[in-house]
Amino acid sequence: STHMGRIVDDLLDVSRVARGKLLLRKERLDLAALVRTSVDDHRVMLEAAGLAVTVALPPEPVWVLADATRISQAIANLLLNSQKFTDSGGAIDVTVALDENGASAVVSVRDTGLGMEPEMVARAFDPFIQAEQALDRSRGGLGLGLALVKGLAELHEGSASALSPGLGQGSTFSLRLPLTSATSA
């Protein structure tokens, strides 16, 4: 199945990241445009799952030095994660913003889903963590998607973070990437 294929691909990629074997093809790209495309690529699937999807982007391009394929993969994994833990009738809001000091761009994927207890938030990006959640097996998965998001963020000198007010109150996953000057090639 394609699901199994995706798990194997994620597993291989997590392993490559861990061993420093994942090669990035970095180029100057507009992160806002990349996020819009990634969300559009998944919109039909998300809406078929009964989720309302919104995207809020800055009016100006957001220039980062990044591997477009890998950042698309990270965004896809965040969207799939939100879909997995959000029931029909819920919402996923995707935003791209500049951080306070204007040095980084932050992609946030906020959902109205299951949410997390504080101890889960702290471990959200650990590989295999979701496999331990016996609470609702149907929502499981190996948690590789989020581990890969974190690994890819760090390869781009960025970071990934998770926030949740608590169980039943949704979650926000953020991917932070350093901005590059618009003048550099």
Side-chain angles (χ1 to χ4, degrees):
S1 73
T2 53
H3 179 67
M4 201 61 215
R6 183 182 282 140
I7 289 176
V8 172
D9 288 345
D10 280 353
L11 186 56
L12 288 171
D13 284 340
V14 167
S15 150
R16 284 184 195 114
V17 168
R19 290 179 301 139
K21 297 275 189 253
L22 194 72
L23 293 174
L24 296 182
R25 285 190 287 277
K26 289 187 182 179
E27 57 184 327
R28 195 171 71 93
L29 54 88
D30 176 5
L31 184 62
L34 188 70
V35 167
R36 183 191 290 110
T37 303
S38 296
V39 173
D40 285 345
D41 288 347
H42 292 84
R43 187 179 291 279
V44 171
M45 182 188 69
L46 295 169
E47 289 177 350
L51 303 174
V53 184
T54 62
V55 184
L57 305 172
E60 302 290 311
V62 178
W63 298 109
V64 295
L65 200 59
D67 182 321
T69 305
R70 292 304 181 176
I71 296 302
S72 294
Q73 183 181 14
I75 294 161
N77 281 346
L78 291 180
L79 293 171
L80 291 168
N81 181 71
S82 283
Q83 180 193 346
K84 185 161 57 172
F85 293 103
T86 308
D87 291 330
S88 181
I92 297 178
D93 299 319
V94 183
T95 58
V96 178
L98 302 186
D99 71 355
E100 317 72 63
N101 59 16
S104 305
V106 184
V107 180
S108 296
V109 177
R110 184 165 58 96
D111 63 56
T112 58
L114 203 58
M116 293 177 284
E117 290 159 331
E119 60 273 20
M120 268 303 292
V121 173
R123 299 170 64 202
F125 293 95
D126 295 356
F128 307 117
I129 184 68
Q130 290 172 15
E132 297 171 20
Q133 279 189 296
L135 147 127
D136 184 348
R137 274 287 181 231
S138 69
R139 293 184 190 269
L142 293 173
L144 290 171
L146 291 178
L148 187 55
V149 169
K150 180 174 190 280
L152 291 173
E154 289 171 357
L155 284 178
H156 283 84
E157 284 87 53
S159 60
S161 59
L163 283 171
S164 176
L167 274 181
Q169 299 180 68
S171 304
T172 302
F173 288 89
S174 298
L175 171 67
R176 180 181 295 262
L177 298 174
L179 294 171
T180 188
S181 64
T183 49
S184 66

